[in-house]
């Protein structure tokens, strides 16, 4: 990369302090142009920032980080200045007028770190999740991925695979020599051990439920308090509640954290057969689709009529005409709050079982798919008697590991990932 990028890397102004980063071969020239000098590497210094017209922009702290031992793997400069909008705009204008400098695109700093080998793809995915984390569970899982826990494990798997591949290559290259004509007897066991270890990871809770929240759908016929319960769980009057059947016409969702656990609650249209209203019919169809995607269904309808594994909820227990349920998991009144604390606690316990333990690495869909491909290739190699076919199975597994770390990937996938980052990251 020959161009130099700059961007505000701290929060939106106004703020007490703003940090503007510059990365690329022109970073040193940018420092010299604005301050008249380049400070000692990796030491903060005070400087007057002067633009191209000789006007003072601000008095700021500046730092110089020569590459390649930097966050991006390139020369890097930082300006720590006052966080007013006008101050930041003046510095950005002055940087933009320097030859070879341009504003960074979303995620471009991190993408350069990846391109220059400072981080791998799995660590970049963890960093993207860390930036969007809203709960403690999300933060700790993202930190584990961004910190390289999973990457180091994949590297270990890859090394073990290379050792097994070397045994096969010896057979292929020296098949006529008696001392290497046969595979070592431990070869099948080593491959099976590796496959089983990866299989344990595939059985772990996935990152999607942690990132998107444990999806809880409230369902049942009309006028059983679904929307009232929804509002109570999300602690907002998000859903309209009236005694009129069919008030809810669509699936209404709200994310919320309970005891630090992320949830996505969904209120649905009342389920019933005789529907003359076309819009209400569409709402019921969407409600059924929401049930299919749910991690858990709270069923407020007639006992035994809900989806399999749904929780039977006896709702509106404050009313004389409430429907009794012999096997109700919870008896609640969203109007009075009766039973709601027990329901929330039960939901938290269920969600925690479905989510990674605090600080555990969670695989996303891409990582899960690649590890699945690796286990299938290892299983094929494990049962092959032809060394050529066994070697091909190990090669396919190795390619899956390389894809996990971004050593073989596509520009489209990289564009999608790094577009999740903010401008200054």
């Amino acid at each position: 990369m020959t161009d130099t990028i700059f961007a505000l890397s701290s929060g939106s102004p106004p703020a007490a302090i703003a940090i503007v980063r510059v990365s690329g071969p022109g970073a040193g020239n940018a420092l010299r142009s604005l301050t008249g000098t380049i400070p000692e590497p990796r030491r903060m210094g005070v400087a007057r920032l002067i633009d191209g017209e000789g006007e003072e922009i601000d008095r700021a702290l500046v730092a110089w980080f020569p590459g390649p031992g930097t966050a991006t793997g390139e020369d890097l400069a930082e300006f720590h200045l006052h966080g007013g909008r006008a101050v930041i705009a003046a510095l950005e204008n002055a940087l933009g007028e320097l030859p070879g400098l341009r504003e960074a695109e979303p995620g471009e700093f991190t993408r350069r770190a990846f391109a220059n080998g400072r981080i791998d793809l799995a660590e970049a995915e963890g960093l993207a999740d860390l930036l969007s984390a809203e709960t403690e569970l999300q933060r700790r899982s993202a930190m584990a991925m961004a910190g390289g826990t999973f990457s180091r494990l994949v590297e270990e798997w890859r090394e073990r695979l290379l050792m097994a591949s070397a045994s096969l290559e010896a057979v292929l290259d020296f098949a006529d020599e008696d001392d290497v004509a046969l595979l070592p007897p431990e070869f099948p066991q080593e491959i099976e051990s590796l496959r089983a270890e990866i299989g344990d990871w595939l059985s772990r809770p996935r990152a999607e439920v942690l990132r998107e929240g444990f999806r809880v759908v409230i369902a049942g016929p009309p006028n059983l308090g679904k929307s009232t319960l929804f509002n109570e769980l999300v602690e907002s009057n998000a859903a309209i509640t009236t005694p009129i059947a069919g008030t809810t016409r669509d699936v209404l969702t709200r994310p919320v954290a309970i005891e630090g656990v992320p949830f996505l609650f969904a209120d649905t249209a009342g389920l019933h057969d005789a529907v003359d209203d076309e819009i209400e019919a569409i709402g019921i169809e969407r409600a059924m689709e929401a049930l299919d995607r749910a991690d858990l269904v709270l069923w407020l309808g007639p006992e035994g009529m809900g989806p399999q594994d749904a929780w039977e909820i006896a709702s509106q227990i404050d009313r004389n005409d409430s429907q009794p349920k012999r096997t109700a998991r919870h008896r609640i009144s969203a109007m009075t709050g009766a039973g709601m604390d027990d329901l929330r606690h039960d939901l938290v316990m269920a969600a925690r079982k479905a989510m990674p333990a605090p600080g555990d690495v969670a695989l996303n869909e891409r990582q899960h798919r690649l590890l699945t491909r690796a286990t299938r290739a290892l299983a094929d190699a494990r049962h092959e008697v032809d060394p050529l076919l066994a070697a091909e199975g190990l090669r396919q597994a190795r390619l899956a590991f390389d894809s996990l770390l971004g050593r073989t990937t596509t520009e489209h996938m990289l564009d999608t990932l790094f577009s999740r980052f903010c401008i200054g990251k």
Side-chain angles (χ1 to χ4, degrees):
M1 299 180 182
T2 58
D3 54 349
T4 300
I5 57 174
F6 65 88
L8 175 68
S9 293
S10 53
S12 299
I17 298 173
I19 301 175
V20 175
R21 303 169 73 196
V22 183
S23 181
N29 181 60
L31 264 176
R32 186 181 292 106
S33 298
L34 291 170
T35 68
T37 186
I38 295 182
E40 184 179 346
R42 293 172 174 79
R43 293 180 65 91
M44 300 290 289
V46 179
R48 295 171 63 238
L49 306 183
I50 308 297
D51 66 16
E53 303 296 324
E55 295 290 331
E56 182 173 339
I57 299 171
D58 194 15
R59 287 180 61 84
L61 291 172
V62 297
W64 165 240
F65 305 94
T70 64
T72 60
E74 304 175 324
D75 288 348
L76 189 69
E78 287 187 358
F79 299 87
H80 296 234
L81 62 160
H82 292 97
R85 290 188 176 89
V87 179
I88 296 169
L91 176 57
E92 289 177 334
N93 288 337
L95 290 170
E97 291 175 357
L98 296 176
L101 269 69
R102 64 170 175 82
E103 290 190 70
E105 297 175 357
E108 192 167 4
F109 285 93
T110 307
R111 185 162 187 165
R112 290 190 176 203
F114 167 72
N116 292 323
R118 300 299 295 175
I119 60 173
D120 60 41
L121 191 57
E123 291 169 326
E125 289 174 309
L127 185 55
D129 289 339
L130 183 62
L131 293 175
S132 61
E134 296 183 356
T135 69
E136 182 65 8
L137 280 175
Q138 293 169 336
R139 183 192 69 80
R140 293 176 68 176
S141 178
M143 280 290 294
M145 183 66 77
T149 299
F150 181 63
S151 299
R152 288 188 290 272
L153 182 60
V154 174
E155 287 285 7
E156 178 189 324
W157 290 340
R158 190 175 184 277
E159 286 301 316
R160 289 163 61 183
L161 194 62
L162 289 174
M163 293 296 292
S165 297
S167 299
L168 281 178
E169 292 300 328
V171 171
L172 294 172
D173 291 344
F174 306 104
D176 293 335
E177 298 183 17
D178 293 338
D179 58 338
V180 291
L182 298 175
L183 287 175
E186 65 272 12
F187 175 80
Q189 289 78 11
E190 290 175 353
I191 297 302
E192 178 58 25
S193 174
L194 179 57
R195 190 203 62 79
E197 189 174 326
I198 299 171
D200 289 340
W201 273 79
L202 290 173
S203 65
R204 291 186 173 199
R206 297 278 294 278
E208 283 73 23
V209 67
L210 185 61
R211 182 185 305 124
E212 299 167 7
F214 188 70
R215 185 181 290 266
V216 179
V217 175
I218 305 170
N223 285 353
L224 289 179
K226 296 187 301 298
S227 295
T228 304
L229 174 57
F230 176 80
N231 287 344
E232 182 68 14
L233 288 171
V234 303
E235 298 182 346
S236 170
N237 292 323
I240 299 173
T241 58
T242 75
I244 302 172
T247 299
T248 303
R249 298 296 188 96
D250 203 348
V251 177
L252 181 63
T253 61
R254 284 291 186 277
V256 65
I258 304 176
E259 298 182 24
V261 177
F263 285 88
L264 183 66
F265 287 104
D267 184 24
T268 59
L271 303 176
H272 59 106
D273 295 329
V275 181
D276 297 327
D277 188 319
E278 182 179 354
I279 296 177
E280 187 179 0
I282 295 173
I284 292 175
E285 181 181 352
R286 292 183 177 179
M288 298 302 295
E289 294 172 353
L291 292 178
D292 292 337
R293 299 195 304 271
D295 296 310
L296 174 66
V297 175
L298 302 183
W299 179 250
L300 276 59
E303 192 166 10
M305 300 299 290
Q308 186 177 4
D309 298 326
W311 287 7
E312 293 283 359
I313 306 296
S315 61
Q316 300 176 325
I317 61 172
D318 57 304
R319 295 175 49 167
N320 294 328
D321 60 348
S322 63
Q323 295 184 10
K325 289 189 175 185
R326 291 183 299 105
T327 60
R329 185 173 180 124
H330 290 278
R331 301 177 71 254
I332 65 166
S333 168
M335 290 294 293
T336 67
M340 289 301 300
D341 287 343
D342 288 341
L343 174 59
R344 289 190 183 93
H345 180 73
D346 203 4
L347 287 170
V348 168
M349 293 298 102
R352 282 178 174 163
K353 290 180 181 178
M355 290 182 173
D360 278 0
V361 171
L363 302 179
N364 61 31
E365 190 276 335
R366 185 191 76 89
Q367 294 160 348
H368 195 276
R369 184 181 68 252
L370 287 170
L371 281 187
T372 300
R373 184 187 304 170
T375 58
R376 289 172 180 169
L378 289 172
D380 291 342
R382 161 73 175 80
H383 296 291
E384 271 296 343
V385 294
D386 186 333
L388 271 174
L389 296 177
E392 175 60 19
L394 297 189
R395 189 184 73 86
Q396 291 297 326
R398 189 172 67 253
L399 287 175
F401 291 156
D402 288 344
S403 295
L404 278 166
L405 302 179
R407 292 173 181 164
T408 167
T409 186
T410 65
E411 285 299 311
H412 175 73
M413 189 276 291
L414 293 177
D415 290 341
T416 301
L417 169 62
F418 291 111
S419 66
R420 294 174 55 194
F421 289 76
C422 56
I423 295 293
K425 195 65 180 175

